[in-house]
Each structure stands twice: as structure tokens, then as C-alpha cells.
Amino acid sequence: MVGADLPLPSMNVGEDSFRHQGLRRKLVDQLRKRGIGNVEVLNAIGKIPRHLFIDDSAFVEMAYADTAFPIPCGQTISQPWTVAFQTDLLQVGKGMKVLEIGTGSGYQTAVLCTLGAKVHSIERHRPLYLQTKERLLRMGHKAYTVHGDGFAGLTREAPFDRVLVTCGAPFVPKPLLEQLKPGGRLVIPVGEGAVQEMMLITKDERGTLFEEACGQFKFVPMLSERSFGV
Ligand code: SAH
């Protein structure tokens, strides 16, 4: 059972030591060398203690390796390079209203908040939603977290300046396109197999949509409505 309020491992609420900060600086250097040139995104990653988004404090080194990592409910915290790449594509400005699908650990949410966005983030696994809501609150990130189905978006808060999907979608859900403002950007990995194509979809002022393929990535799948809450 995934939808019920199962107990999760106790939350890592440890400190952010000089060692953590040093490891983080190395990670930012690595991302810069791998081609992330967006200084604001790099600064945000440099500020956020990623190790506190991983439940087991024994894995500090892993928290700052450029790799994905397991989190509860069989999900993963995205690889830092993927977070940087998606956030860069999104082009987030201060005060923008952003919809994120797949809250997971809340790390990507924290990056968006640090960039000054007003983030609404949807997670389908209730235990993860509950844990991450508390984590973000404790860290002082003012994100609006929702337990729900990302395929439907969030009608009551639409439209959004930006929409970011952090799980592999079988197709581009129509509600997400409808909930995007003219001038908006939607970043979504699309594909049903092991690999997805990162799609950037932009909507011009007249509402016309444009698509651009931006490379291949691996995400956990976006789970359909049918399996929602199971
Ligand atoms: N942004 C996250 C990545 C988590 S992995 C982070 O930084 O940690 C992707 C997340 O998408 C998982 O937590 C998974 O449960 C969630 N997910 C999958 N299908 C979903 C759906 N239909 N609606 C909302 N969330 C979904």
C-alpha cells in the first residue's frame, strides 16, 4: 500500500556543517564544468543543504555526488545535474507562479523557492507529501504542497507562468497546457520507456504552442490516475 499514512524513516533535520558546504561547492563546480552556465541556478544549488533532503544522514557523500538517490515510496531525488538543467530551461523569475508535478523530497521545490518563485507542488504519494510538507516548512520554504494527481494540474490556482514535471510522463497532459499562461514555459520529460525526452513547450501571447526536444533523461514514471492513491 502506498496511499495510506505509513510511517517513514525519521526525518534528517541535521545541521549544515563546513564539510557539507565544501562538498556543495565541489558539486556546483562540477555542474558548471558540465555546462550549466545559469549563475542564479548555480547559486541556489550552492545554498541548499541537499543532504537534509535525504533521510539517512549516513549518505552525506552521496548527497553531493552528481547522482539520483532513493527516497521513500520507491521514488528518487533527481540528479543535481538534471535539477540544474530543468531549472535552467524553465527560466524562473522572481515572483513567478510555478506549478511543479512530483514534489518527492522537495529538493527541486526548494531550488524554485530560492529563485523567488511562488511554488505549488503536487505529489501523489501521501506519505511523501506529508513528510516533505513538514521538511519544507521547517526549512522556511514557503511552498504550497498538494496531495493530488499531477495529470490534472491545479485548476484552482491556474494559470501558471511556469510548469515543471519531475517524473517521466507518458504524454503531455492537456490540463498542464491549458493551465499555462501565454508567454509561459512547460518543461516535461516525455516517454514511456526507460528513457524520456526532455521537452520544452512554450506558449506565445496568442496561445500558440511550440515544442523543442532538449535531450534524453531517466526519471521515475508519472503514475496514471488509475493507480492514484494505491
Ligand atoms: N522533484 C523531486 C523528484 C521526485 S521523483 C525531488 O526533487 O526530489 C518524482 C516524483 O513524482 C515522485 O515523488 C512520484 O511519487 C511523483 N509522481 C509520480 N506520478 C505523479 C502524479 N501523477 N502526480 C503527482 N506526483 C507524481
Side-chain angles (χ1 to χ4, degrees):
M1 259 193 16
V2 164
D5 293 347
L6 300 176
L8 290 178
S10 61
M11 197 187 299
N12 181 0
V13 288
E15 47 157 13
D16 189 25
S17 68
F18 285 127
R19 178 163 170 249
H20 298 127
Q21 290 163 32
L23 289 167
R24 203 148 66 232
R25 267 195 299 276
K26 275 191 197 158
L27 171 64
V28 169
D29 278 348
Q30 234 179 307
L31 295 173
R32 196 182 288 116
K33 280 182 194 138
R34 277 197 70 186
I36 303 295
N38 186 323
V39 177
E40 289 186 351
V41 172
L42 291 173
N43 284 346
I45 289 175
K47 271 188 208 157
I48 300 170
R50 190 169 185 266
H51 62 284
L52 300 183
F53 291 80
I54 286 173
D55 291 318
D56 193 332
S57 52
F59 291 108
V60 165
E61 299 281 345
M62 292 306 292
Y64 293 105
D66 189 14
T67 172
F69 199 79
I71 57 172
C73 300
Q75 305 306 311
T76 54
I77 177 171
S78 300
Q79 182 179 348
W81 192 77
T82 304
V83 172
F85 188 87
Q86 285 199 291
T87 314
D88 186 21
L89 267 187
L90 208 61
Q91 291 184 9
V92 182
K94 279 197 177 59
M96 280 187 182
K97 198 167 183 180
V98 179
L99 175 66
E100 180 192 18
I101 310 297
T103 318
S105 68
Y107 179 70
Q108 172 74 73
T109 318
V111 170
L112 295 169
C113 288
T114 304
L115 290 168
K118 290 183 195 130
V119 188
H120 296 259
S121 186
I122 308 179
E123 171 57 51
R124 72 175 290 282
H125 284 293
R126 190 166 166 80
L128 256 184
Y129 152 75
L130 289 170
Q131 188 192 53
T132 300
K133 185 185 181 68
E134 191 189 332
R135 171 182 290 138
L136 289 168
L137 240 152
R138 281 197 203 190
M139 289 184 168
H141 296 295
K142 293 194 182 82
Y144 304 91
T145 47
V146 178
H147 175 229
D149 177 19
F151 278 95
L154 200 59
T155 316
R156 66 171 188 268
E157 290 292 341
F160 296 94
D161 297 290
R162 302 287 186 259
V163 178
L164 175 61
V165 180
T166 67
C167 38
F171 53 86
V172 181
K174 211 169 161 213
L176 301 187
L177 294 171
E178 289 166 354
Q179 292 173 25
L180 191 64
K181 275 187 196 171
R185 293 164 82 87
L186 162 64
V187 173
I188 178 167
V190 184
E192 288 196 85
V195 172
Q196 297 85 36
E197 185 69 37
M198 188 70 76
M199 301 302 298
L200 166 64
I201 299 172
T202 49
K203 190 185 258 189
D204 74 7
E205 295 300 332
R206 288 187 303 184
T208 310
L209 296 166
F210 299 89
E211 273 189 19
E212 197 182 314
C214 304
Q216 298 202 319
F217 290 79
K218 280 185 182 177
F219 283 84
V220 292
M222 182 168 183
L223 296 162
S224 74
E225 223 175 329
R226 251 179 313 125
S227 58
F228 177 66
V230 178

